[in-house]
Amino acid sequence: MGLFDFFKKKETAPEAQEALDKGLEKTKDGFFNKITKAVAGKSSVDDEVLDNLEEVLVTSDVGVSTTLKIIKRIEERVSKDKYLNTSELNYILRDEIQFLLAENNSNDFRQFEYGDHKPYVIMVVGVNGVGKTTTIGKLAHKLKESGLKVVLGAADTFRAAAVEQIKLWGERVGVRVVAQAMGSDPASVAFDTLQSAVAAGEDVVIIDTAGRLHNKVGLMNELGKIKQVMQKVIPNAPHEILLVLDASTGQNAFEQCKQFTEATDVNALAITKLDGTAKGGVVIGISDQFKIPVKYIGVGEKIGDLQLFDKKEFVNSLFK
């Protein structure tokens, strides 16, 4: 049984759905207010409505590239059905966003399994302030709740606060934390964490890393060194490089994603703080543009408010 099977077993659909709906309230309110204004006084979907809709999507942080794809698809539907009216626009928009996401990133987390790696190693990257440590803590909680043995590696040794936060999460969740003194070599912390996880027979290792978005070469070298050292213990580690992005930063999240994907082999995304922003459109744009699975979304402050991302559920919730 893959680790994901344990994780999935614990998900409570009604509670998760309620948290998702609540977490997307601000995005939904802003989005539909803008759409209502875009179609005001219009009965059919004409060029002006499409221009207004384009502006709605761009200002909702869906991103220019993804917006143009969506508008082109709607234009094609309008040209086939000359009598398309504005009351149908929400349904069409929902469908086209779902189709686009399904085509661009069909490897949904619902079908993803951690496989037979033991321990399964997750290296977490992202700038300071995006909710990286909180995401690590909440993910550790989810996995431990599912009966897995989890260990955290405090490899962001540049900030004393980062190490202390990881230790606090370890205590709160009840998982072991491997840490060294502030200023220690991050790769050394990662090495010790993996070595002890193998010795203890633990299931999942989550490694925190420094959140400074310094120059790309420096970032690449630092993350590369951590990977090389980990591979001395487990040859194909890390199995997952999880980039954490803050939805409330809007277009800045796109830039961070660009920087980190150029610096290292990011193969999973977590998008946090959706409950505190009207910029939830970034999930759609980033999913489409970077072709990297969004695996987790943060929809609230409670310890259980880190969710597995499901594109269909997300879009349906947005359009409820």
Side-chain angles (χ1 to χ4, degrees), residues 210-228:
R212 303 166 305 148
L213 191 55
H214 37 341
N215 72 71
K216 196 172 69 185
V217 175
L219 179 68
M220 200 178 290
N221 291 343
E222 187 177 295
L223 296 176
K225 184 182 175 188
I226 293 172
K227 281 169 67 175
Q228 284 167 13

Side-chain angles (χ1 to χ4, degrees), residues 33-88:
N33 283 342
K34 288 176 185 174
I35 288 180
T36 302
K37 287 176 186 169
V39 300
K42 293 281 187 179
S43 57
S44 62
V45 179
D46 59 15
D47 288 347
E48 188 182 346
V49 167
L50 289 170
D51 285 346
N52 291 343
L53 181 59
E54 185 177 318
E55 188 180 337
V56 168
L57 292 169
V58 171
T59 56
S60 299
D61 290 278
V62 171
V64 175
S65 167
T66 303
T67 293
L68 293 176
K69 286 184 195 175
I70 294 167
I71 294 297
K72 187 181 176 190
R73 286 162 178 256
I74 293 174
E75 279 177 339
E76 286 167 1
R77 283 178 71 160
V78 170
S79 68
K80 283 178 192 169
D81 184 355
K82 302 294 181 189
Y83 301 101
L84 211 59
N85 61 56
T86 52
S87 63
E88 296 174 279

Side-chain angles (χ1 to χ4, degrees), residues 13-25 275 298-300 302 304-307 317:
E15 288 174 14
Q17 188 63 55
E18 191 181 327
L20 177 63
D21 293 345
K22 194 164 183 290
L24 290 178
E25 270 175 7
D275 55 307
V299 293
K302 296 200 294 285
D305 284 341
L306 181 73
Q307 291 194 0
S317 180

Side-chain angles (χ1 to χ4, degrees), residues 6-202:
F6 286 103
F7 201 163
K8 192 174 181 183
K9 196 167 62 178
K10 281 287 181 181
E11 287 291 307
T12 312
E15 288 174 14
Q17 188 63 55
E18 191 181 327
L20 177 63
D21 293 345
K22 194 164 183 290
L24 290 178
E25 270 175 7
K26 288 186 180 177
T27 294
K28 205 181 323 191
D29 290 348
F31 192 58
F32 285 114
N33 283 342
K34 288 176 185 174
I35 288 180
T36 302
K37 287 176 186 169
V39 300
K42 293 281 187 179
S43 57
S44 62
V45 179
D46 59 15
D47 288 347
E48 188 182 346
V49 167
L50 289 170
D51 285 346
N52 291 343
L53 181 59
E54 185 177 318
E55 188 180 337
V56 168
L57 292 169
V58 171
T59 56
S60 299
D61 290 278
V62 171
V64 175
S65 167
T66 303
T67 293
L68 293 176
K69 286 184 195 175
I70 294 167
I71 294 297
K72 187 181 176 190
R73 286 162 178 256
I74 293 174
E75 279 177 339
E76 286 167 1
R77 283 178 71 160
V78 170
S79 68
K80 283 178 192 169
D81 184 355
K82 302 294 181 189
Y83 301 101
L84 211 59
N85 61 56
T86 52
S87 63
E88 296 174 279
L89 192 58
N90 284 351
Y91 300 107
I92 296 162
L93 187 56
R94 182 193 62 193
D95 287 350
E96 292 306 335
I97 290 173
Q98 281 186 346
F99 291 147
L100 185 71
L101 295 185
E103 287 164 18
N104 280 318
N105 191 2
S106 58
N107 186 22
D108 204 57
F109 190 59
R110 290 289 178 187
Q111 298 148 1
F112 179 82
E113 290 188 13
Y114 287 153
D116 299 321
H117 304 292
K118 185 174 176 177
Y120 184 83
V121 182
I122 303 170
M123 182 166 81
V124 183
V125 300
V127 302
N128 295 332
V130 294
K132 193 155 52 86
T133 312
T134 303
T135 299
I136 290 169
K138 288 179 177 179
L139 180 55
H141 167 72
K142 285 270 189 186
L143 295 168
K144 181 174 183 283
E145 199 181 38
S146 303
L148 298 166
K149 293 178 184 172
V150 183
V151 59
L152 309 181
D156 181 357
T157 57
F158 294 98
R159 292 187 309 131
V163 176
E164 290 310 311
Q165 282 168 352
I166 286 284
K167 284 180 177 175
L168 284 170
W169 269 107
E171 287 172 20
R172 183 180 177 188
V173 175
V175 300
R176 197 165 63 84
V177 176
V178 175
Q180 294 179 9
M182 187 187 165
S184 301
D185 180 8
S188 169
V189 177
F191 182 85
D192 284 356
T193 309
L194 264 64
Q195 223 176 25
S196 66
V198 170
E202 283 157 325

